[in-house]
Amino acid sequence: MRPLSPRRGPQLKLELAGPCVILRAVKLVLHWFRRDLRVTDNTALSEAARRGERVLPVFILEDALHTGPDVGAARLAFLLQSAEELRRDLARLGYPLIVHRGRSEIELPKLCAEMGATAVFCNQRYEPYAQARDARVFNALNAEGVGFEVFKDAVLWEEREILTQAGNPYTVFTPYAKAWRARAIPPPRPDLKAVGPPLNPAAGKAVPRDPADFGHPLSQTVPPAGAAAAHRALESFLAARVYGYATGRDFPAQAGTSRLSPHLRAGTIGIRTVLAGWLAARKQAGVDAAGRSGCDTYLNELIWREFYLQVLANFPHVMRGCFRPEYDALAWPGEEAHFTAWCEGRTGYPIVDAAMRCLNATGGMHNRLRMIVAMFLTKDLLISWQRGERYFMRQLVDGDLAANNGGWQWSAGTGTDAAPYFRIFNPVTQGEKFDPDGAFVRQWVPELATVAKDHIHAPWEAGLLSGARNYPPPIVNHAVQRERCLAMFKAVRAPG
Ligand SMILES: Cc1cc2nc3c(=O)[nH]c(=O)nc-3n(C[C@H](O)[C@H](O)[C@H](O)COP(=O)(O)OP(=O)(O)OC[C@H]3O[C@@H](n4cnc5c(N)ncnc54)[C@H](O)[C@@H]3O)c2cc1C
């Protein structure tokens, strides 16, 4: 195995802090909203309010938001609706949100010059492409003598804050999570205070809400967007479901999870707010072992989010290839027709098809199902995880480069502390275990609505696939494909 080298050299933030004009007392600060679409628990925004005499909130509809191969209508719709909600929240506090369309490195210096702003504040992004954009913004602002400050906000701990004793990034989750848990959880940042009487939100320029205006017509039903919906989702989860999360989170037909991922991605809720709620719930669980275990398992999932963000920031090569480079040599001999069947939910494996149809219709998919369909694409259909990764990004309302890439590489067995390549889910037994009475399959695969639960996950075995049912037989044989997959991985594995 070739050694893995983390990204070396100064991080963008340090580069920014170097030559940039950082003013201690600033008159007019422009707060640039990106993936932090909220007025509460927002680090850069609260700093802007603390240090500036006036704050000017700005949202830029970047070209990159609606161009490029990974853009999806569901995610764009969620973002636009959240930005419009933010505009209304700001108006209630007396702030008009300025909305521009174009490239940030052009729009921001222009705005600063027009308004007389001396600094731009924003919260850190961790994707390499976003950091490259921020470097361009920094250069453009710096050339005009305008300060640019970037704050840690989306995570508790950034990529160089939790390191092994040898000073390297963690590549295995369990010790990373242990080190993460050993640190104190900071409280939420101060909320933005009203600056004057409420503005009439109808008077300002609304954020366009329809992704079709950007060439992405929406065919999915996306969940409620915006900060109020995020807070409702958190409260309802912490009121009860968190205590049963350790087991409830694995059953797609039950609403056992928090459904916060689109909100954490768009920043309609702050991570410190989520964790403050979690701390209270954990306290509330008291001596109830099951309740405590639910809370602790939930925290673990939030740590996975930060784990994958630090993997992406430290090892940006994962964007282009396998975390373990020896697996870049995998040939992936799968067939195009099988990829189409997988995308459309017509593989003949009911749990896979139900999951894919649910994704196509709602932009969402339960975590257990993401693992099942990802393993099925890579290990049964022998199609590259990168094709699945891209398909997910186009469909998911919570599509996030770090979590999606981490989840796909974990499932394919090419990632950090991946499920080893020889761990291959059987889609029939996974269905039987996690959708035991077939409720989820029946909801999304109406062709099987009347099949009894004993056969719902393998209807072909009971001869239940008559032409009238219009449901395909399995497109591959799991046992055969499993062996092919093992041979494929063994062939490229470095000895030892
Ligand atoms: C192949 C694959 C692709 C995935 N793609 C994405 C993606 O694009 N965006 C995304 O946010 N998550 C992704 N995940 C992780 C996970 O499936 C979702 O975060 C989860 O299903 C969201 O539902 P929830 O908010 O109800 O989660 P909960 O179970 O309530 O978890 C709480 C939060 O923890 C975080 N989280 C949970 N599990 C993971 C995980 N495995 N990795 C990283 N963060 C996690 C999310 O922010 C989530 O909202 C992917 C997982 C797999 C296996």
Side-chain angles (χ1 to χ4, degrees):
M1 193 194 299
R2 269 195 276 148
L4 298 164
S5 50
R7 188 178 64 178
R8 301 270 176 225
Q11 306 292 292
L12 175 74
K13 210 150 33 123
L14 302 181
E15 287 161 14
L16 293 173
C20 183
V21 186
I22 293 179
L23 304 172
R24 294 293 153 223
V26 276
K27 284 195 159 57
L28 178 60
V29 186
L30 203 145
H31 176 80
W32 177 21
F33 280 103
R34 294 114 67 93
R35 285 211 208 158
D36 57 335
L37 302 177
R38 63 183 189 278
V39 294
T40 60
D41 188 20
N42 183 324
T43 310
L45 184 63
S46 60
E47 274 301 296
R50 190 177 70 83
R51 300 218 332 245
E53 282 174 19
R54 269 177 60 213
V55 178
L56 200 65
V58 176
F59 179 68
I60 297 180
L61 285 159
E62 294 259 2
D63 297 346
L65 285 176
H66 53 92
T67 57
D70 286 340
V71 175
R75 202 160 55 256
L76 185 56
F78 192 88
L79 186 94
L80 295 172
Q81 288 170 23
S82 297
E84 172 58 8
E85 287 250 344
L86 168 74
R87 189 183 73 83
R88 289 168 175 272
D89 288 345
L90 284 164
R92 271 191 281 279
L93 298 173
Y95 290 93
L97 176 67
I98 297 177
V99 181
H100 271 219
R101 236 170 132 152
R103 296 177 59 178
S104 305
E105 61 265 38
I106 295 171
E107 298 306 312
L108 287 169
K110 224 163 59 186
L111 253 171
C112 289
E114 273 167 29
M115 312 299 292
T118 48
V120 174
F121 284 13
C122 62
N123 289 313
Q124 179 74 343
R125 293 276 308 267
Y126 300 94
E127 303 82 359
Y129 58 81
Q131 298 204 338
R133 187 262 327 267
D134 286 359
R136 292 195 300 274
V137 168
F138 159 66
N139 287 331
L141 291 172
N142 206 26
E144 304 297 323
V146 176
F148 184 45
E149 288 198 51
V150 184
F151 295 82
K152 174 174 79 170
D153 178 73
V155 292
L156 254 44
W157 312 114
E158 290 185 325
E159 68 273 14
R160 307 300 300 176
E161 290 188 292
I162 297 191
L163 299 171
T164 64
Q165 283 198 337
N168 295 320
Y170 280 97
T171 58
V172 177
F173 175 74
T174 307
Y176 171 84
K178 190 171 171 212
W180 195 104
R181 270 192 237 98
R183 297 174 170 227
I185 293 176
R189 309 287 181 217
D191 296 349
L192 187 68
K193 301 262 178 321
V195 74
L199 309 174
N200 176 5
K205 194 172 144 211
V207 180
R209 291 169 67 110
D210 188 352
D213 294 346
F214 299 88
H216 298 278
L218 181 66
S219 57
Q220 294 150 308
T221 319
V222 297
H231 284 263
R232 279 198 305 274
L234 177 67
E235 277 159 29
S236 113
F237 175 68
L238 293 177
R241 297 200 305 282
V242 68
Y243 303 111
Y245 181 81
T247 49
R249 75 191 179 114
D250 258 329
F251 296 89
Q254 297 170 16
T257 66
S258 68
R259 308 213 168 162
L260 275 178
S261 54
H263 294 291
L264 284 168
R265 186 200 174 273
T268 43
I269 197 159
I271 186 63
R272 292 155 301 274
T273 300
V274 175
L275 287 163
W278 175 84
L279 276 169
R282 179 72 171 72
K283 210 166 150 198
Q284 184 80 19
V287 293
D288 170 35
R292 277 211 317 267
S293 155
C295 291
D296 293 348
T297 310
Y298 188 63
L299 181 64
N300 233 34
E301 298 310 306
L302 294 172
I303 302 176
W304 272 108
R305 175 176 166 271
E306 299 208 355
F307 177 72
Y308 282 140
L309 272 163
Q310 67 90 29
V311 168
L312 175 65
N314 284 311
F315 303 98
H317 74 271
V318 297
M319 271 202 333
R320 293 176 303 276
C322 299
F323 176 80
R324 295 176 194 282
E326 71 265 30
Y327 290 131
D328 284 332
L330 286 166
W332 302 108
E335 296 171 26
E336 196 55 35
H338 285 174
F339 182 65
T340 306
W342 178 83
C343 295
E344 291 175 355
R346 298 198 55 80
T347 67
Y349 283 93
I351 194 73
V352 173
D353 294 342
M356 294 304 294
R357 293 182 194 189
C358 170
L359 171 68
N360 294 338
T362 67
M365 193 193 283
H366 188 277
N367 181 58
R368 169 61 48 184
L369 301 173
R370 294 187 205 208
M371 293 191 288
I372 294 173
V373 303
M375 284 226 190
F376 186 80
L377 184 76
T378 51
K379 293 174 172 173
D380 282 78
L381 301 183
L382 310 181
I383 291 172
S384 165
W385 59 269
Q386 286 163 303
R387 295 202 67 191
E389 180 194 26
R390 171 143 293 165
Y391 188 76
F392 263 34
M393 280 307 276
R394 287 182 184 156
Q395 301 297 325
L396 280 172
V397 70
D398 68 7
D400 171 83
L401 176 59
N404 194 41
N405 182 278
W408 273 96
Q409 296 225 35
W410 184 93
S411 306
T414 60
T416 45
D417 56 341
Y421 72 89
F422 48 82
R423 187 183 300 160
I424 300 177
F425 285 181
N426 177 325
V428 174
T429 51
Q430 285 286 312
E432 287 166 353
K433 196 164 169 199
F434 297 110
D435 185 30
D437 52 12
F440 186 79
V441 165
R442 278 193 207 90
Q443 182 184 353
W444 291 103
V445 185
E447 302 96 297
L448 302 179
T450 56
V451 173
K453 78 171 189 176
D454 290 351
H455 304 300
I456 188 110
H457 293 292
W460 65 90
E461 283 177 357
L464 289 172
L465 294 183
S466 72
R469 210 178 276 285
N470 198 25
Y471 184 71
I475 56 172
V476 289
N477 177 317
H478 173 69
V480 172
Q481 295 303 96
R482 185 177 184 281
E483 293 310 313
R484 285 184 71 195
C485 174
L486 292 173
M488 177 180 98
F489 269 86
K490 268 188 206 135
V492 302
R493 256 189 104 211

